[in-house]
Amino acid sequence: LLKASKGKLDISGHTDDVGSEKYNMELSQRRAETVKKALISFGVEESQISTEGMGKSQPRRVYTTEDTPEQIDYIRGENRRAEIYLDFES
């Protein structure tokens, strides 16, 4: 679909709350860039893809003091991600 439509992709990388702000920003950017490289290897044009590192600023889930260590680890894992926004109207 991407190759046929020449649509645009915005990839945002995200991290958990462990580590410094600087480290997490760099890690989240690398995470987004890794997804970009994979898509390029599948034939998507580099010009169709933009990336942004969000660090720990947009967690998918937030843990509380009532959560167990196992629950906290699981929640942190959910926050380590890359998200892709597709725009086929471009």
Side-chain angles (χ1 to χ4, degrees):
L1 289 173
L2 286 170
K3 290 190 277 185
S5 73
K6 296 299 181 194
K8 299 289 185 186
L9 288 171
D10 296 320
I11 303 171
S12 59
H14 302 267
T15 66
D16 61 24
D17 62 336
V18 177
S20 71
E21 188 70 31
K22 181 178 188 276
Y23 174 79
N24 280 313
M25 289 302 291
E26 291 169 356
L27 175 60
S28 63
Q29 184 63 44
R30 287 194 313 268
R31 187 167 280 152
E33 290 292 329
T34 298
V35 174
K36 178 180 179 176
K37 287 178 188 175
L39 291 169
I40 290 169
S41 76
F42 292 127
V44 178
E45 294 292 325
E46 184 173 0
S47 62
Q48 290 178 266
I49 305 170
S50 66
T51 61
E52 183 175 11
M54 304 303 289
K56 55 187 173 182
S57 68
Q58 296 180 355
R60 177 175 285 160
R61 290 190 51 208
V62 178
Y63 56 87
T64 68
T65 55
E66 297 172 6
D67 290 321
T68 67
E70 292 81 14
Q71 290 169 318
I72 292 171
D73 285 343
Y74 185 81
I75 291 167
R76 283 181 173 150
E78 287 185 2
N79 291 331
R80 295 179 214 120
R81 68 195 188 280
E83 295 181 348
I84 301 174
Y85 174 77
L86 305 169
D87 181 0
F88 288 107
E89 295 181 15
S90 294

